[in-house]
Amino acid sequence: MLSTLYSLPLVALLWLLRFLPLPLLAAIGRGLGRLLMPFVRKRRAVVALNLAWCFPELDEAARRDLARRHFAALGRSFLERGMLWWSSRQRLERLIQVEGEQHLQAQLDAGRPVILLAPHFLGLDAGGVAVAMRHDVISLYAAQRNPLIDRLLLRGRKRFGDQVLLSRQDGVRATVKAMKSGRPFYYLPDLNARRREAVFVPFFGVSAATNTGLPRLARAAGAAVLPCVTRMLPGGEGYQLDIGEAWTDYPTGDVEADIARMNTWLEGVIRSMPEQYYWVHRRFKTRPPGEARPY
């Protein structure tokens, strides 16, 4: 109850700020992220370790600068959440550009199930909205502890089209069935995984526990895997969702090789916009047997 009460002013602020022009809202968000950075010591430490492990070629000053840019982008993505929750379809269609939709449509027209591989970049929710405005999609949803935030997130996910929200408890069978009904699956498989659900493959040269769901689901459904990346555009210009061509020869049957391919592709995209990846996540929390937890 108390957590809901504490959330009300914040939700009201997000609702009001969404009326601002996006360049102004983006500038306020970047300033908020930089302002709050000194006060989130634990998350700042997580970001610092992630960047040190993933970018050892950068000196400490360069990594600090990247961390500052990350928190600025994080603040922007947070304040723009209200726009995604409440702004009109017309405004969102103007602010979220979509490139490569023909690749998705070609697979759907051919009657093939589709997995949209959507890594955890800060524009992820904007990309999900753009896809949902065009297609009835499937996505995974984890209930939030705060009931007010949970209702808002659910509303944001379901406000366009006829969406199917699954939990991890629904399992592979339910996901495959939904994909075979012609719905693309907006899938986010790139965070730390528990040891029993993962294989350890390199991520920026560091052994990382990585979920095996992508090749397993692709094989079970006979699905095409299409990379799906959302970029926050500079200067408050909005977002760009890029949908790539379907990966060829995927999956191969070698789960470890298939997951390594996903991580290698992801590294390349991250290097093109490193401040926009979700570095506050404890990506290396699960370690191989015998290694201490780093966080």
Side-chain angles (χ1 to χ4, degrees):
M1 179 65 178
L2 285 176
S3 62
T4 300
L5 291 174
Y6 291 145
S7 301
L8 286 173
L10 179 58
V11 169
L13 179 63
L14 292 177
W15 185 85
L16 286 171
L17 288 174
R18 55 109 179 186
F19 290 107
L20 295 175
L22 184 55
L24 178 57
L25 180 58
I28 295 171
R30 290 191 296 269
L32 176 67
R34 287 190 287 262
L35 180 66
L36 292 180
M37 182 180 173
F39 302 100
V40 287
R41 182 179 59 83
K42 289 183 179 180
R43 287 300 165 182
R44 198 171 69 245
V46 169
V47 171
L49 186 142
N50 286 341
L51 296 181
W53 282 22
C54 292
F55 298 101
E57 70 277 14
L58 298 179
D59 61 29
E60 190 171 342
R63 290 197 297 269
R64 281 200 303 269
D65 177 68
L66 177 52
R68 284 191 291 267
R69 289 188 285 124
H70 172 66
F71 276 98
L74 189 65
R76 176 186 161 184
S77 69
F78 176 73
L79 288 195
E80 292 174 16
R81 186 70 61 86
M83 180 186 71
L84 301 177
W85 286 345
W86 291 297
S87 287
S88 68
R89 175 189 286 265
Q90 291 74 20
R91 185 186 188 198
L92 294 175
E93 286 176 342
R94 290 196 306 271
L95 295 178
I96 309 172
Q97 306 169 25
V98 179
E99 300 290 338
E101 188 176 2
Q102 71 274 13
H103 303 312
L104 170 57
Q105 194 60 53
Q107 298 297 328
L108 296 176
D109 290 345
R112 190 175 182 189
V114 172
I115 298 174
L116 295 173
L117 170 56
H120 281 77
F121 289 97
L122 298 179
L124 177 72
D125 288 314
V129 166
V131 174
M133 287 193 295
R134 292 162 172 80
H135 302 275
D136 294 335
V137 300
I138 313 158
S139 62
L140 294 178
Y141 183 77
Q144 306 297 303
R145 293 180 182 178
N146 184 304
L148 176 60
I149 300 300
D150 189 63
R151 287 197 298 273
L152 288 171
L153 285 175
L154 278 172
R155 179 186 181 279
R157 290 283 184 91
K158 300 179 75 171
R159 64 186 298 225
F160 299 113
D162 179 21
Q163 315 306 325
V164 172
L165 299 182
L166 301 173
S167 72
R168 297 191 182 279
Q169 288 69 43
D170 287 316
V172 172
R173 183 175 298 179
T175 307
V176 169
K177 181 180 178 181
M179 277 194 284
K180 288 187 173 181
S181 72
R183 298 169 181 268
F185 181 25
Y186 195 67
Y187 188 40
L188 296 61
D190 58 311
L191 297 186
N192 179 75
R194 291 175 292 185
R195 194 174 280 123
R196 60 186 174 86
E197 300 171 339
V199 294
F200 285 94
V201 294
F203 180 61
F204 284 95
V206 180
S207 186
T210 309
N211 192 296
T212 60
L214 182 66
R216 289 191 297 108
L217 286 169
R219 177 170 291 276
V225 174
L226 279 65
C228 184
V229 174
T230 306
R231 297 174 182 270
M232 302 170 70
L233 299 176
E237 295 176 10
Y239 298 82
Q240 180 172 311
L241 170 64
D242 292 308
I243 302 174
E245 295 185 25
W247 283 356
T248 58
D249 302 318
Y250 194 92
T252 64
D254 183 336
V255 171
E256 188 168 328
D258 290 336
I259 293 299
R261 177 178 174 181
M262 180 187 79
N263 279 2
T264 299
W265 164 79
L266 179 55
E267 288 176 26
V269 183
I270 290 171
R271 289 187 185 279
S272 73
M273 48 174 177
E275 75 284 355
Q276 293 191 34
Y277 194 59
Y278 196 60
W279 295 115
V280 290
H281 171 66
R282 292 179 292 177
R283 181 63 185 90
F284 303 107
K285 177 181 177 182
T286 302
R287 306 307 306 140
E291 285 195 23
R293 289 187 177 183
Y295 301 108

